[in-house]
Amino acid sequence: MDLLLASLVDGFLLGFIYGIAAMGLTLIWGVMNVINLSHGPIIALGMFTTYLLFMSLGIPPYIGVLLAAVIGLILGVIIYLIAVQRVIDAPHLSSLLATFAVNMIIIGIGTAIFTTSPRNVDFRLGALTLGSITLQYTRIIAALIAILVTGGLYYFLYRTRLGKYIRAVANNRSAAELVGIPSNRVVAISFGLGTMLAAIAGALIATFLPFTILAGGTYETKSFVISVLGGLGNPVGALIGGLILGLLEGIIPAFTQTTWVPVIEFVLFVIILLVRPNGLFGAKE
Amino acid sequence: MNILEIHDVSAGYGEVQILWGTSIELRDGMLTSLVGSNGAGKTTTLRTIMGLIKPWQGKITFEGNDISHLPAHEKAERGLVLVPEGRQLFTDMTVEENLEMGASPQRARVNYAKNLERVYELFPRLKERRTQKAGTMSGGEQQMLAVARGIMAEPKVLMIDELSLGLAPVLVLGLFGTLRELKKLGITILLVEQNVQMALAVSDYGYVLAEGKVALEGSSRELMKNEDVRAAYLGL
Ligand SMILES: Nc1ncnc2c1ncn2[C@@H]1O[C@H](COP(=O)(O)OP(=O)(O)OP(=O)(O)O)[C@@H](O)[C@H]1O
Ligand SMILES: [Mg+2]
């Protein structure tokens, strides 16, 4: 019983981080109707940023998260300008292939440099004991940061001029042009924000779970499941979807082996696509 | 002086040519109407002026500068603003957010508070609905918001595509009244309007577009007397 409770809380905390990874994916979809298949490698780059800064320079992982965010943002804008911009109005297959190519390039270079051997950030903060359950502080702090990032994203989208520009472009791009919003620049920044969220998620996960350069793929597919669960293009849905998935991952091990987790997640994915294709909370448009 | 000139412009969609050497001039501070039957190319003309469609040929000058190939957002920044056909509001955003987005050009940002007040005076209904999502408003309210959003940009030239479409007569009268007010403020207006009679009644000058070309132009008074115009558009 206590084990289940601890595992549930662990899953719930992880859910906030899944939430921001999925928000990144869903933000990009909402603004430009592109499914970013390079989401996973960026998550992995976020992990390696924290890892390398900590292992080689001793930079604390939470500062590493900040740098991962900056790298994710810049890299995203570059990916957009080079690979996505040209195909943004083409059929979806073109942008899928373009972002998949980026995915292969990053994975290829990453594998060449880092190999696929597992890493972990050798960093401990101890645990919090509540009655009979223990929770790692690293998980708690990561979840708190994820909540902060979510709040920050909302503040940005609803209270700042650039954030409102992003919502305007997502809502009606040509109308945005007509009122004087430089929509191409805004779309590029949105892509960067989406990848920034991926990099932050990766950097946070790296503070308490082991990973490889290929690990991003798993989290990318989880982001798909969550985005569809919450409704593509709906950031609040992404957060709630993330929490649902996190809780599921907390419960499943109590009943069966963890190897069944992806199977169950994808069965859920298919069921939602069949029964509620717009997600539990409604998709954009 | 002409604030906006369109010289011999051709444009279209894909392979299909719609405009065949259209030329239009807007005198500073005047209200000009552009009329023509359905499919004549009025909307295409406005979209080409705005840069949503690239001109194939010809030249567009604004305040003496060639703006033929500027993107739409830069034209809006300079004071050339379009209230598009079909309103094109930010339907997921509130009324006030739409107005705020309308004030994106630098010039308009400085006077945001003043312009917002003016717009709410012109359309008290919008003030009542300021926190409502634009997409949930009635058609008439949405049309008011589309015009109001255009005014928020502090335009030097305001182009309006179908001011009265689908609106109750009372509202139409109100909006035409608004046009007069805007003209008094010194804004140059290009009006595309189904209701040719009303359009010519408020405007100083008019163009009749047919099959992507200017078929006729003249002062509104002359056009209203013209036999062809009377027969084709005024039902007289
Ligand atoms: N996106 C498009 N793709 C292809 N053809 C188009 C497109 N938009 C308009 N057309 C065609 O261009 C021609 C001119 O259309 P336009 O919308 O400019 O006419 P209009 O004068 O504004 O008519 P209305 O009074 O009905 O609004 C029409 O034959 C129309 O079918
Ligand atoms: Mg039209």
Side-chain angles (χ1 to χ4, degrees):
Chain A
M1 202 54 223
D2 288 342
L3 264 181
L4 175 62
L5 192 63
S7 147
L8 261 179
V9 176
D10 268 356
F12 185 70
L13 294 176
L14 189 57
F16 285 103
I17 300 161
Y18 287 172
I20 56 173
M23 265 182 237
L25 198 68
T26 226
L27 176 74
I28 291 174
W29 170 263
V31 173
M32 63 202 88
N33 284 28
V34 164
I35 300 274
N36 175 25
L37 289 182
S38 65
H39 207 62
I42 309 271
I43 293 175
L45 285 183
M47 294 168 161
F48 273 83
T49 304
T50 332
Y51 173 79
L52 291 173
L53 288 174
F54 181 68
M55 300 308 268
S56 59
L57 300 173
I59 295 177
Y62 299 116
I63 293 177
V65 171
L66 224 80
L67 288 168
V70 174
I71 291 173
L73 178 68
I74 294 170
L75 197 63
V77 171
I78 294 171
I79 292 174
Y80 173 79
L81 293 176
I82 294 175
V84 182
Q85 188 179 23
R86 271 165 258 263
V87 292
I88 197 157
D89 291 322
H92 288 326
L93 185 60
S94 309
S95 53
L96 280 175
L97 288 174
T99 55
F100 186 66
V102 173
N103 167 83
M104 296 307 282
I105 292 168
I106 299 177
I107 293 277
I109 297 174
T111 308
I113 299 176
F114 304 118
T115 74
T116 56
S117 54
R119 318 276 171 141
N120 74 316
V121 180
D122 196 4
F123 164 74
R124 274 181 188 69
L125 290 178
L128 172 70
T129 310
L130 283 176
S132 51
I133 66 170
T134 47
L135 299 168
Q136 296 297 321
Y137 273 120
T138 44
R139 280 193 188 242
I140 297 173
I141 292 173
L144 288 176
I145 293 176
I147 293 169
L148 255 162
V149 169
T150 307
L153 181 70
Y154 265 83
Y155 182 85
F156 174 71
L157 289 176
Y158 284 84
R159 289 279 176 274
T160 69
R161 176 166 283 276
L162 181 57
K164 288 178 191 178
Y165 281 180
I166 290 176
R167 286 167 53 223
V169 169
N171 195 172
N172 188 331
R173 184 167 175 178
S174 70
E177 274 286 318
L178 286 181
V179 299
I181 298 173
S183 66
N184 193 43
R185 231 173 296 163
V186 171
V187 171
I189 293 168
S190 309
F191 197 93
L193 278 176
T195 52
M196 182 184 93
L197 291 169
I200 294 174
L204 289 177
I205 291 171
T207 60
F208 58 88
L209 286 176
F211 54 92
T212 72
I213 188 71
L214 303 176
T218 319
Y219 296 105
E220 176 177 313
T221 47
K222 286 185 203 295
S223 299
F224 285 140
V225 177
I226 294 165
S227 301
V228 169
L229 193 71
L232 257 180
N234 177 349
V236 185
L239 180 66
I240 300 174
L243 293 177
I244 294 177
L245 207 73
L247 283 174
L248 263 180
E249 290 187 6
I251 295 176
I252 293 170
F255 301 100
T256 175
Q257 285 165 329
T258 48
T259 43
W260 283 91
V261 168
V263 179
I264 296 171
E265 282 174 358
F266 276 90
V267 169
L268 182 76
F269 182 68
V270 173
I271 292 174
I272 288 165
L273 279 179
L274 289 175
V275 183
R276 282 193 71 108
N278 283 333
L280 300 178
F281 312 104
K284 179 205 161 210
E285 284 158 356
Chain B
M1 213 208 74
N2 295 330
I3 187 163
L4 182 72
E5 296 186 358
I6 296 109
H7 296 288
D8 200 22
V9 163
S10 300
Y13 303 94
E15 302 274 283
V16 187
Q17 184 164 356
I18 305 292
L19 300 183
W20 302 78
T22 308
S23 296
I24 291 173
E25 294 173 355
L26 300 192
R27 297 275 300 279
D28 209 347
M30 293 223 168
L31 203 167
T32 305
S33 284
L34 177 62
V35 299
S37 50
N38 295 124
K42 305 181 294 294
T43 298
T44 307
T45 303
L46 298 191
R47 291 170 65 86
T48 309
I49 294 173
M50 210 51 214
L52 293 174
I53 304 172
K54 301 267 165 281
W56 296 359
Q57 207 187 277
K59 189 170 161 193
I60 302 164
T61 61
F62 180 64
E63 298 182 305
N65 303 311
D66 186 350
I67 57 159
S68 313
H69 300 287
L70 285 186
H73 68 88
E74 276 181 39
K75 291 179 180 174
E77 186 65 49
R78 291 183 183 208
L80 180 59
V81 173
L82 172 66
V83 175
E85 192 176 43
R87 304 183 192 115
Q88 306 285 330
L89 297 174
F90 301 114
T91 49
D92 297 338
M93 299 174 87
T94 65
V95 167
E96 196 150 300
E97 281 175 335
N98 270 270
L99 295 173
E100 193 187 338
M101 293 298 97
S104 298
Q106 199 62 50
R107 282 169 308 114
R109 276 190 229 176
V110 185
N111 297 322
Y112 176 66
K114 195 188 83 204
N115 289 339
L116 191 66
E117 202 175 311
R118 189 169 84 202
V119 156
Y120 281 152
E121 253 166 52
L122 286 172
F123 306 105
R125 181 52 84 71
L126 294 181
K127 189 170 186 177
E128 288 165 29
R129 311 245 147 192
R130 64 214 275 184
T131 57
Q132 187 173 336
K133 283 228 172 107
T136 63
M137 295 207 298
S138 78
E141 290 166 344
Q142 291 194 19
Q143 185 68 17
M144 289 180 210
L145 181 55
V147 174
R149 187 180 66 181
I151 297 171
M152 289 302 292
E154 238 178 63
K156 292 177 187 159
V157 171
L158 183 63
M159 305 188 284
I160 306 179
D161 199 349
E162 308 289 8
L163 182 66
S164 73
L165 195 70
L167 297 186
V170 193
L171 270 181
V172 175
L173 278 177
L175 280 173
F176 272 93
T178 307
L179 284 187
R180 287 210 182 85
E181 304 260 322
L182 293 176
K183 204 189 141 185
K184 268 190 226 142
L185 293 170
I187 300 174
T188 307
I189 298 171
L190 178 58
L191 178 67
V192 167
E193 181 49 52
Q194 295 284 331
N195 189 330
V196 175
Q197 179 123 38
M198 286 194 84
L200 291 179
V202 293
S203 53
D204 305 297
Y205 202 80
Y207 288 87
V208 178
L209 202 65
E211 293 171 7
K213 266 194 273 233
V214 174
L216 201 61
E217 64 170 284
S219 73
S220 302
R221 202 166 303 145
E222 281 164 24
L223 288 181
M224 273 192 280
K225 285 193 215 131
N226 182 291
E227 284 307 320
D228 296 335
V229 173
R230 288 166 75 90
Y233 302 105
L234 303 178
L236 299 170

